Amino acid sequence: MEIFKYMKEYDYEQLLFCQDEASGLKAIIAIHDTTLGPALGGTRMWTYASEEEAIEDALRLAKGMTYKNAAAGLGLGGGKTVIIGDPKTEKNEEMFRAFGRYIQGLNGRYITAEDVGTTVYDMDTIHEETDYVTGISPAFGSSGDPSPVTAYGVYRGMQAAAMEAFGSPSLEGKVIAVQGVGNVSYKLCKHLHEEGAQLIVTDINKESVARAVEDFGAKAVEPDEIYGVDCDIYAPCALGATINDDTIPQLKAKVIAGAANNQLKEARHGDQIHEMGIVYAPDYVINAGGVINVADELYGYNQERALKKVKGLYDNVMEVFNIARRDNIPTYKAADRMAEERIEKRRKTQSKFIQNPHHILSRR
C-alpha cells in the first residue's frame, strides 16, 4: 500500500502507528482533516486479516467522520482509531492506558470515543491517562447511553424527509417499515408510535420484534420481506448495504430514512433511487445525533443544549434536499457537498486571517 500516495489523494493529515509490547497494543490513529477543529472519532477493536486492511479501515472511517462532523455543523474534524486484536479475548487495562498516553501526546488534535469492539469501561480506562476522550461513564461527566439522542435525531430527520416527499413533516398515519429493532430503533419506534405512525418491523431477534408488536401495535414480517411491503417510508436501522441491486426493485416506499450506517451498497445505488424519485435522507446526516451528543461533553455536558442541536438535524436534512435541487444531484452527493462547502468556507476564513494578521490584533 502506497500510504503517502493514498493520503495525498484524499488529503489526509496524519497517520500514526502506536504499539506497546507489554500490553499487546497495536493501534492505528488516522486523522483526516482538522480544518473545523480537533478530529473526533471512535476507537474500533477488530480482528483484521492484515495490517493493510486495518490501515484502510482507519483511513476510510476517519474521512467518514470528517464529513459526518462537518454535516452536523460541529466545530470538529474527522479521525478514527483501529486497534488490531480480538475484543473478546485480547483486551486488558494496560492496553487502553497505553493508548490513552498516545492520545495525550497528540495534545488535543484527536479525541476518541466508543466504537465497535470497545465499551464505556474502555473509555474510562483511557480517561485515566487523558481528557481527550468522550463517551465515558456519567460519573465522570458523560452523557451516558447515546441511543435515545440518536433515535431522536433520526426521528427529526425523518420528519424533514416527509416534508420533502409529502409536503408535510407529519408522520401521523404514515406506514413506516423499520428494519431492525435494536436500542436506537426501538426508541425511534416509540417516537413514531406516539405521533400516530403505523409500524411494520422486522429483526433477526424475535424478542425485539415481539416487544415492538406489544408496545407499539407494530406488524411483524420476516427479515427478507421488509423491502417489499407497502409503506410510505423504509427505515434501515440494522446492517449497512441494504440498498442494493436485490432490494431496490422491491421497494415501494417514497422515502428512505433510517439509523443504519453505510446504507448504500455502492454509490450507483444512490443514483438509482434518485432516478426512481425516492427521497433519501443520507445516513451520516440523519444519524448524527450520537456524535452531536458526545461532542457536547467537550464543553461540559448539558443535555438541554445537546438536544437543541440534535433537534436541528431537521434543518440539516432539509439543507441536503435544497442542495440536491440547486445542483440537480442525488442527495447522497448533496450531503458530501454540504460538508465540503462548510469545510471550504472555514479554510477561506482561515486563509484571510493568515493573509491579514493585523485583523487578528485589531480584535484584542
Side-chain angles (χ1 to χ4, degrees):
M1 184 180 183
E2 297 180 86
I3 292 176
F4 277 108
K5 182 179 179 181
Y6 187 97
M7 290 177 70
K8 182 178 179 181
E9 182 179 358
Y10 297 104
D11 201 20
Y12 285 83
E13 294 181 8
Q14 199 169 4
L15 186 65
L16 301 97
F17 297 85
C18 313
Q19 80 86 27
D20 180 70
E21 185 177 1
S23 65
L25 174 71
K26 294 179 182 177
I28 300 163
I29 302 173
I31 297 175
H32 177 248
D33 189 285
T34 57
T35 301
L36 296 175
L40 172 68
T43 293
R44 177 171 295 193
M45 188 169 183
W46 195 254
T47 51
Y48 293 96
S50 66
E51 291 180 2
E52 183 175 276
E53 183 182 80
I55 294 168
E56 289 177 345
D57 202 30
L59 290 166
R60 176 182 63 84
L61 293 167
K63 184 180 179 183
M65 287 307 301
T66 293
Y67 280 76
K68 186 167 191 167
N69 292 338
L74 299 174
L76 294 165
K80 206 77 172 187
T81 295
V82 299
I83 295 176
I84 301 172
D86 188 335
K88 295 180 181 178
T89 62
E90 298 184 62
K91 281 185 184 181
N92 60 75
E93 180 180 349
E94 281 309 310
M95 173 183 289
F96 288 97
R97 290 191 74 120
F99 178 55
R101 291 192 289 274
Y102 279 111
I103 294 175
Q104 181 64 23
L106 289 170
N107 200 31
R109 273 181 57 76
Y110 170 65
I111 302 162
T112 198
E114 183 181 346
D115 203 291
V116 175
T118 60
T119 65
V120 172
Y121 178 78
D122 299 328
M123 297 306 108
D124 286 349
T125 305
I126 293 170
H127 184 52
E128 294 290 328
E129 302 288 344
T130 183
D131 288 331
Y132 301 121
V133 55
T134 60
I136 53 180
S137 296
F140 296 117
S142 164
S143 54
D145 178 12
S147 61
V149 187
T150 304
Y152 179 61
V154 175
Y155 169 64
R156 290 288 293 158
M158 192 179 288
Q159 288 180 318
M163 182 68 191
E164 180 71 11
F166 309 118
S168 168
S170 175
L171 300 173
E172 183 178 2
K174 294 289 185 290
V175 179
I176 303 174
V178 181
Q179 181 186 40
V181 199
N183 285 338
V184 171
S185 52
Y186 175 83
K187 295 173 178 67
L188 170 63
C189 287
K190 186 174 188 293
H191 286 295
L192 300 175
H193 174 68
E194 288 174 350
E195 193 174 336
Q198 300 175 40
L199 299 175
I200 302 173
V201 300
T202 196
D203 197 298
I204 57 173
N205 186 326
K206 300 302 181 184
E207 291 181 2
S208 296
V209 172
R211 184 184 179 198
V213 170
E214 181 177 352
D215 292 352
F216 310 128
K219 175 185 175 182
V221 298
E222 292 300 314
D224 59 353
E225 295 175 357
I226 195 71
Y227 309 105
V229 298
D230 284 314
C231 65
D232 299 296
I233 300 171
Y234 163 55
C237 297
L239 298 174
T242 62
I243 304 170
N244 55 54
D245 289 336
D246 294 328
T247 62
I248 288 174
Q250 302 178 53
L251 294 175
K252 297 183 176 67
K254 300 293 185 185
V255 170
I256 298 174
N261 289 310
N262 305 313
Q263 294 170 18
L264 303 175
K265 185 172 183 180
E266 297 177 30
R268 63 184 177 86
H269 295 124
D271 297 320
Q272 193 172 343
I273 58 176
H274 174 70
E275 291 165 4
M276 294 168 63
I278 295 174
V279 173
Y280 171 55
D283 44 32
Y284 72 80
V285 179
I286 194 173
N287 69 13
V291 72
I292 291 171
N293 196 51
V294 297
D296 195 81
E297 295 177 23
L298 302 173
Y299 308 98
Y301 184 67
N302 181 295
Q303 186 180 51
E304 184 179 349
R305 180 177 60 203
L307 286 175
K308 183 177 180 180
K309 188 140 186 104
V310 173
K311 186 177 182 180
L313 283 175
Y314 179 98
D315 298 320
N316 281 12
V317 174
M318 289 303 300
E319 186 175 349
V320 170
F321 297 145
N322 291 336
I323 293 171
R325 276 194 299 274
R326 180 194 74 190
D327 298 346
N328 194 28
I329 55 175
T331 56
Y332 81 94
K333 290 182 178 178
D336 287 354
R337 193 160 295 179
M338 178 175 75
E340 289 162 358
E341 286 176 357
R342 288 178 176 173
I343 293 169
E344 188 58 31
K345 182 178 180 181
R346 177 63 63 86
R347 282 180 177 155
K348 288 180 178 178
T349 302
Q350 291 172 342
S351 177
K352 183 173 70 174
F353 274 81
I354 291 170
Q355 291 170 11
N356 183 16
H358 299 292
H359 179 66
I360 300 174
L361 295 173
S362 68
R363 295 181 65 200
R364 294 182 178 177

